């Protein structure tokens, strides 16, 4: 069932997920027209959807602000527009952590290499934010020989978290703490629980599909929704994922489509990255127990002997 | 289990069968020896990845025997390489062909057959009686390549060119079966065609309706009538004793359990196909010349290898995930087939997880005729047995 509508206020709205903004988004008329914005809000109201507005770097006029404030919503904003952001997308690694991140939920898009090179900044961020979401930008390039390196990176991040926990700051880092708290899948939900509205007035499964090819729409504000094979966005129609307990995995259907050509099937890379993360969460939980750190609502994570649940497919069939 | 590896050696054919799903046939895409050799080397170099205990080297077109010189070279190389590498497929392989039969008698094809006799399966497609065969299986004309179709009276059927090779084929492959395809226009000729094929000496007729959405109002009734008449002819003529027709199978038309009977029907993804460009596909039906409305599902090529990510959707396919609730709970579900390539081509999105149901009413008609066949046959055999027992007990009584 649909629950969320992501509204891209502009073609240059900040990317808060795996997709890159195309280099040619310098189109002059890139802002969502006001009429479209109003119609999008009305659509969300009628469908009982929570709206998440995604902002561009440039400031919006008072007229836009007024329309946006006419409905309860969440603001996903770039650093340049940090004021009143509910979720702040950090543009780059900075030696000096901006004050805006204090107590905030922040997103940073980074490759594993960038993360490794900026552990000091991660440490500083974890000391200030309430929650840090790291969106890995190089999952597609992940190779089996990268497993050990990624395990070490997550171990280093675990140590940073432990340091925070020890001083009583129960900060969240999506890569490690999400799995501790989950007992079932908590995926992105594109096309199932979440839908995106682009500045052109058309709906997309998620912003990534819009930026890939605006022709991949699943309806528009005038004619309504037309999501074909919507069942394939659901967990029960994903043969690998429905057998999986890497509950923190976003199960990115855009990446599924790119790498396996089918929306309901994740690639080897996605599964391995998710499982290295899952196992790192298990290790973190163990470390916390050893050091007498308690976090409420955590759950035991079982030991498993695989990194890609696909390897078990013959057992399910 | 055997690995099926298909060489699409040409996309050309002498015929232009009206029901052919190969919408992109052409004379240009012919496999070169270099591509074939690289494909073979790629596969044989990776023995650890291809662990199936045996292999079927399959050759398809268009019409494969148009490329008999290449095929002969490929097969020689395969045999030499499997032996040289002490590959586990050496002595556990077959060469398989589906041919229109037109070139079957030619010297080159016959020499090839002689050379590879013990490792060869060849199926010749003959569709039944002359009028049924020639309804669809017509010769290609040069104008067709420009998109100009001949008038009905100018069409030239291929029956006579094929039937003349059937005796030689059956002499060389006595147990061979033929494959018959049924489209809407063929329905009135099913009974006469199957009986005709039996009369030619073909004991096994593998026959199926096309999976494409071609079925018209009333086709299911006509189909059921034809199959019922065929059932009568087979049973009354005692043909069931040494002939088979794949339409009649004892265990089809039953409900299926969601968990126990959840296997995929088709082997796409477990198979491998390679074309003239050196592209790999999960089966030939995913090559561009087979697809009406989708782009080819390419899983790699002979230079860069196979991208296993692109095989994952196929290897995890099961019946229920790709079926509608109506299909899952269908009371006559068993035996209802599908082609993964046609499912993909007809799907609303880029997926192999949307089962095409175009064949639904034809399957139901087949199930009704199939039930009739088995009820009639069992009753006949039961009565025969009863008569036999009665005769025996009468004899015993006489002895007393």
């Amino acid at each position: 069932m649909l629950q969320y509508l992501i509204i891209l206020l502009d073609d240059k709205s900040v990317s808060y997920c795996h997709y890159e903004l195309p280099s040619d988004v310098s189109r002059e008329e890139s802002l969502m027209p006001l009429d479209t914005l109003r119609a999008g809000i009305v659509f969300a109201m009628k469908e009982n959807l929570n709206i998440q507005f995604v902002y561009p770097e440039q400031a919006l006029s008072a007229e836009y602000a007024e329309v946006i404030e006419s409905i309860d919503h969440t603001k996903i904003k770039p650093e340049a527009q940090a004021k009143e952001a509910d979720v702040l997308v950090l543009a780059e690694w900075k030696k000096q952590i901006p004050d805006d991140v204090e107590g905030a939920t922040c997103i940073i898009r980074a490759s594993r290499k960038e993360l490794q090179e900026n552990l000091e900044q991660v440490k500083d961020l974890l000391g200030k934010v309430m929650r840090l979401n790291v969106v890995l930008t190089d999952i597609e390039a992940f190779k089996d020989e990268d497993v050990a390196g990624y395990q070490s990176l997550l171990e280093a991040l675990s140590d940073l978290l432990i340091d925070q926990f020890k001083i009583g700051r129960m900060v969240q880092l999506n890569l490690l703490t999400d799995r501790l708290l989950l007992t079932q899948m908590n995926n992105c939900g594109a096309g199932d629980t979440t839908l995106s509205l682009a500045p052109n007035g058309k709906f997309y499964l998620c912003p990534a599909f819009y930026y890939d090819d605006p022709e991949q729409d699943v309806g528009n504000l005038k004619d309504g929704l037309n999501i074909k094979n919507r069942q394939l966005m659901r967990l029960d129609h994903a043969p690998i994922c429905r057998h999986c307990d890497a509950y923190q995995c976003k199960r990115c259907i855009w990446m599924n489509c790119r790498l396996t050509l089918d929306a309901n099937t994740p690639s080897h890379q996605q599964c391995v990255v998710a499982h290295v993360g899952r196992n790192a969460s298990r290790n973190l939980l163990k470390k916390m127990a050893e050091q007498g750190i308690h976090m409420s609502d955590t759950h035991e994570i079982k030991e498993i002997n695989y990194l890609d649940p696909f390897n078990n497919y013959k057992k399910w069939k | 289990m055997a690995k099926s590896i298909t060489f699409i050696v040409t996309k050309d054919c002498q015929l232009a069968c009206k029901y052919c799903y190969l919408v992109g046939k052409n004379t240009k895409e012919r496999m070169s020896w270099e591509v074939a050799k690289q494909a073979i080397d790629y596969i044989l170099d990776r023995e650890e990845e291809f662990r199936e205990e045996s292999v079927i080297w399959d050759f398809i077109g268009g019409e494969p025997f148009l490329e008999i010189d290449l095929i002969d070279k490929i097969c020689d190389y395969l045999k030499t390489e499997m032996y040289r590498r002490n590959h586990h497929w050496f002595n556990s392989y077959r060469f398989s062909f589906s041919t229109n039969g037109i070139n079957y008698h030619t010297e080159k094809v016959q020499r090839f057959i002689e050379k590879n006799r013990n490792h060869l399966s060849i199926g010749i497609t003959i569709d039944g009686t002359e009028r049924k065969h020639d309804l669809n299986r017509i010769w290609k004309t040069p104008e067709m390549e420009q998109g100009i179709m001949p008038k009905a009276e100018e069409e030239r059927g291929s029956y006579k060119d094929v039937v003349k090779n059937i005796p030689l084929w059956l002499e060389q492959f006595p147990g061979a079966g033929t494959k018959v395809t049924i489209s809407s226009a063929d329905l009135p000729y099913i009974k006469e065609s199957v009986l005709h094929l039996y009369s030619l000496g073909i004991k096994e007729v593998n026959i199926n309706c096309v999976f494409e959405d071609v079925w018209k109002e009333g086709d299911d009734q006509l189909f059921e009538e034809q199959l019922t008449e065929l059932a009568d002819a087979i049973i009354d003529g005692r043909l069931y004793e040494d002939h088979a027709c794949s339409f009649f199978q004892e265990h089809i038309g039953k409900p299926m359990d969601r968990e126990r009977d959840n296997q995929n029907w088709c082997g796409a993804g477990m198979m491998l196909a390679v074309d003239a460009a050196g592209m790999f596909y999960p089966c030939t039906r995913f090559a561009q010349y087979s697809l009406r409305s989708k782009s080819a599902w390419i899983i790699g090529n002979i230079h860069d290898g196979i991208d296993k990510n692109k095989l994952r959707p196929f290897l995890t396919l099961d019946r229920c995930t790709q079926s509608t609730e109506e299909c899952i709970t269908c009371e006559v579900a068993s035996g209802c087939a599908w082609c993964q390539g046609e499912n993909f081509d007809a799907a609303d999105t880029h997926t192999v997880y949307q089962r095409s149901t175009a064949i639904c009413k034809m399957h139901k008609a087949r199930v009704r005729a199939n039930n009739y066949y088995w009820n009639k046959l069992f009753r006949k055999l039961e009565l025969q047995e009863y008569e036999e027992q009665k005769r025996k007990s009468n004899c015993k009584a006489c002895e007393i």
Side-chain angles (χ1 to χ4, degrees):
Chain A
M1 191 178 129
L2 281 176
Q3 292 172 278
Y4 304 99
L5 181 66
I6 295 163
I7 297 184
L8 299 174
L9 291 167
D10 194 291
D11 278 337
K12 285 174 279 188
S13 288
V14 64
S15 171
Y16 62 94
C17 204
H18 296 293
Y19 62 94
E20 299 284 345
L21 290 190
S23 49
D24 66 345
V25 288
S26 53
R27 285 168 262 172
E28 278 181 18
E29 295 294 325
S30 65
L31 191 63
M32 177 177 272
L34 264 178
D35 286 348
T36 307
L37 179 59
R38 285 193 193 97
I41 290 171
V42 170
F43 175 87
M45 290 166 79
K46 289 182 176 173
E47 298 292 331
N48 266 336
L49 306 179
N50 295 306
I51 298 182
Q52 298 171 346
F53 290 110
V54 190
Y55 283 70
E57 293 270 339
Q58 83 267 19
L60 298 179
S61 67
E63 226 177 346
Y64 274 85
E66 192 185 327
V67 176
I68 287 168
E69 292 309 325
S70 68
I71 181 87
D72 189 23
H73 64 273
T74 301
K75 291 184 175 75
I76 301 173
K77 290 184 145 194
E79 232 179 303
Q81 299 292 331
K83 197 176 161 215
E84 294 178 354
D86 298 296
V87 178
L88 191 59
V89 184
L90 303 176
E92 55 188 3
W93 299 103
K94 286 184 183 138
K95 288 266 180 309
Q96 190 67 40
I97 303 298
D99 292 340
D100 300 312
V101 306
E102 194 78 50
T105 295
C106 291
I107 293 176
I108 189 144
R109 301 176 67 251
S111 66
R112 282 163 285 136
K113 185 168 176 280
E114 286 167 334
L115 210 51
Q116 185 73 55
E117 288 169 356
N118 292 283
L119 283 175
E120 274 303 308
Q121 281 88 329
V122 176
K123 183 182 168 187
D124 292 346
L125 276 170
L126 290 175
K128 288 196 170 182
V129 301
M130 183 179 74
R131 176 180 168 84
L132 179 63
N133 283 354
V134 174
V135 176
L136 291 177
T137 53
D138 58 350
I139 292 177
E140 290 188 22
F142 195 93
K143 294 189 169 55
D144 284 346
E145 50 266 35
D146 297 339
V147 167
Y150 187 44
Q151 283 169 336
S152 308
L153 173 61
L154 290 177
E155 207 176 312
L157 291 170
S158 282
D159 291 341
L160 298 181
L161 277 174
I162 293 275
D163 290 344
Q164 292 298 318
F165 295 162
K166 277 185 188 162
I167 57 170
R169 286 200 82 248
M170 301 313 278
V171 60
Q172 293 183 4
L173 173 64
N174 67 327
L175 297 178
L176 286 162
T177 57
D178 283 4
R179 180 59 184 84
L180 304 181
L181 306 169
L182 292 167
T183 54
Q184 59 181 5
M185 278 288 180
N186 181 41
N187 312 130
C188 143
D192 178 20
T193 58
T194 307
L195 201 62
S196 295
L197 179 67
N200 62 6
K202 293 180 180 176
F203 294 112
Y204 295 86
L205 297 176
C206 84
F209 287 96
Y210 169 62
Y211 288 114
D212 254 5
D213 177 8
E215 296 296 310
Q216 299 182 79
D217 66 274
V218 291
N220 57 61
L221 283 167
K222 190 166 155 274
D223 304 317
L225 280 178
N226 182 21
I227 309 177
K228 288 176 176 154
N229 279 328
R230 191 162 160 202
Q231 76 283 1
L232 298 182
M233 314 299 151
R234 294 200 319 254
L235 181 63
D236 63 346
H237 275 67
I240 297 176
C241 306
R242 69 186 176 216
H243 290 96
C244 177
D245 76 345
Y247 300 141
Q248 86 291 353
C249 175
K250 287 293 125 194
R251 218 163 68 75
C252 174
I253 62 156
W254 173 68
M255 228 184 276
N256 292 356
C257 291
R258 283 167 66 88
L259 298 177
T260 70
L261 308 180
D262 222 315
N264 68 345
T265 309
S267 65
H268 177 65
Q269 296 94 303
Q270 289 162 269
C271 290
V272 172
V273 168
H275 280 75
V276 172
R278 172 209 183 272
N279 294 344
S281 298
R282 183 173 183 274
N283 292 340
L284 171 62
L285 200 58
K286 227 160 94 182
K287 272 189 201 168
M288 287 164 63
E290 283 163 8
Q291 304 200 26
I293 298 166
H294 173 75
M295 184 187 275
S296 48
D297 298 326
T298 57
H299 303 273
E300 190 202 352
I301 302 170
K302 280 191 286 185
E303 187 171 10
I304 52 174
N305 59 2
Y306 56 86
L307 288 178
D308 184 353
F310 172 78
N311 296 338
N312 302 330
Y313 79 88
K314 284 184 183 155
K315 288 184 204 157
W316 320 323
K317 289 183 93 175
Chain B
M1 191 180 156
K3 180 85 181 176
S4 177
I5 299 174
T6 304
F7 292 87
I8 306 171
V9 287
T10 177
K11 293 178 183 169
D12 191 16
C13 183
Q14 307 99 319
L15 304 183
C17 304
K18 294 174 194 169
Y19 52 51
C20 184
Y21 61 84
L22 300 172
V23 291
K25 288 205 293 282
N26 65 76
T27 54
K28 295 180 190 76
E29 291 179 81
R30 298 170 56 201
M31 186 176 279
S32 67
W33 163 242
E34 289 70 28
V35 165
K37 182 179 178 301
Q38 280 189 68
I40 294 166
D41 289 343
Y42 175 85
I43 293 160
L44 295 184
D45 282 348
R46 288 161 181 77
E47 190 173 357
E48 73 290 351
E49 290 177 37
F50 295 92
R51 290 310 307 159
E52 290 84 351
E53 61 188 46
S54 54
V55 64
I56 297 168
W57 301 105
D58 184 35
F59 297 88
I60 199 169
E63 165 52 35
F65 283 146
L66 287 177
E67 296 294 337
I68 187 63
D69 291 337
L70 173 71
I71 288 168
D72 190 38
K73 200 168 176 181
I74 289 174
C75 293
D76 282 353
Y77 185 67
L78 278 169
K79 287 181 285 186
T80 313
E81 281 299 295
M82 288 191 294
Y83 176 74
R84 188 182 68 77
R85 293 162 185 258
N86 195 20
H87 195 287
H88 73 282
W89 284 342
F90 183 71
N91 260 337
S92 193
Y93 69 92
R94 293 200 78 70
F95 299 132
S96 171
F97 295 83
S98 285
T99 172
N100 59 30
I102 289 169
N103 286 356
Y104 188 81
H105 64 289
T106 59
E107 198 187 326
K108 281 183 178 177
V109 173
Q110 284 301 306
R111 205 180 317 126
F112 175 81
I113 291 171
E114 191 54 41
K115 204 160 117 182
N116 295 286
R117 190 71 162 267
N118 295 330
H119 289 277
L120 212 49
S121 308
I122 300 181
I124 292 184
T125 301
I126 179 162
D127 255 2
T129 53
E130 186 167 2
R131 64 174 172 173
K132 151 79 172 88
H133 184 97
D134 286 351
L135 196 64
N136 280 307
R137 300 185 69 81
I138 57 170
W139 281 86
K140 185 178 70 174
T141 62
E143 292 75 32
M144 282 178 182
E145 292 210 20
Q146 275 83 54
I148 305 161
M149 303 310 285
K151 292 176 191 151
E153 61 272 23
E154 290 168 0
E155 287 176 357
R156 197 177 132 222
S158 60
Y159 176 83
K160 287 193 171 69
D161 308 288
V162 179
V163 76
K164 68 178 185 198
N165 285 328
I166 297 296
L168 175 61
W169 173 53
L170 289 176
E171 188 192 314
Q172 292 172 328
F173 300 96
T178 192
K179 195 175 146 300
V180 178
T181 304
I182 303 293
S183 65
S184 182
D186 303 308
L187 290 170
Y189 313 111
I190 292 175
K191 177 192 158 193
E192 65 173 43
S193 291
V194 174
L195 297 177
H196 178 69
L197 293 170
Y198 287 169
S199 76
L200 292 176
I202 299 168
K203 305 255 187 220
E204 187 183 322
V205 177
N206 296 307
I207 186 164
N208 70 281
C209 293
V210 297
F211 292 105
E212 287 79 3
D213 188 9
V214 296
W215 304 107
K216 298 200 286 275
E217 184 78 33
D219 276 354
D220 50 339
Q221 284 99 322
L222 187 52
F223 185 45
E224 187 179 331
E225 280 165 27
Q226 278 290 310
L227 291 192
T228 307
E229 287 177 25
L230 178 61
D232 286 338
I234 291 174
I235 294 169
D236 297 345
R238 301 173 70 100
L239 293 167
Y240 56 85
E241 289 175 351
D242 52 359
H243 291 77
C245 171
S246 62
F247 271 142
F248 302 121
Q249 291 180 13
E250 199 178 339
H251 298 293
I252 69 159
K254 310 283 188 295
M256 293 176 82
D257 186 84
R258 271 178 205 267
E259 285 173 16
R260 222 178 30 245
D261 308 316
N262 197 23
Q263 296 80 8
N264 192 27
W265 179 273
C266 153
M270 259 94 79
M271 305 182 277
L272 181 67
V274 59
D275 73 358
M279 298 295 171
F280 287 127
Y281 305 93
C283 110
T284 59
R285 195 61 174 74
F286 288 83
Q288 195 58 64
Y289 81 142
S290 300
L291 296 165
R292 299 180 305 274
S293 52
K294 294 277 192 332
S295 299
W297 191 304
I298 298 169
I299 58 167
N301 61 63
I302 54 173
H303 309 293
D304 306 321
I306 294 171
D307 178 352
K308 289 181 184 158
N309 275 331
K310 295 189 171 74
L311 277 175
R312 285 161 74 104
F314 294 90
L315 298 178
T316 52
L317 265 166
D318 58 60
R319 181 178 70 93
C320 291
T321 310
Q322 64 186 302
S323 301
T324 61
E325 194 59 22
E326 188 185 348
C327 290
I328 294 169
T329 57
C330 175
E331 291 183 355
V332 294
S334 66
C336 183
W338 61 85
C339 161
Q340 220 67 54
E342 174 55 24
N343 285 359
F344 170 58
D345 209 5
D348 295 321
T349 58
H350 194 286
T351 185
V352 286
Y353 279 84
Q354 184 188 346
R355 184 169 157 191
S356 165
T357 54
I359 207 164
C360 176
K361 66 176 184 180
M362 303 307 281
H363 172 70
K364 286 175 176 163
R366 176 194 173 195
V367 167
R368 289 190 292 272
N370 186 61
N371 290 343
Y372 171 83
Y373 175 91
W374 290 103
N375 279 312
K376 178 166 175 159
L377 180 59
F378 283 145
R379 186 61 180 159
K380 179 180 176 176
L381 297 176
E382 201 175 42
L383 289 175
Q384 271 177 6
E385 197 179 335
Y386 174 72
E387 289 298 324
E388 181 66 14
Q389 277 176 359
K390 205 164 78 176
R391 193 183 59 75
K392 279 182 187 164
S393 68
N394 283 346
C395 285
K396 277 185 186 164
C398 291
E399 284 167 15
I400 294 164

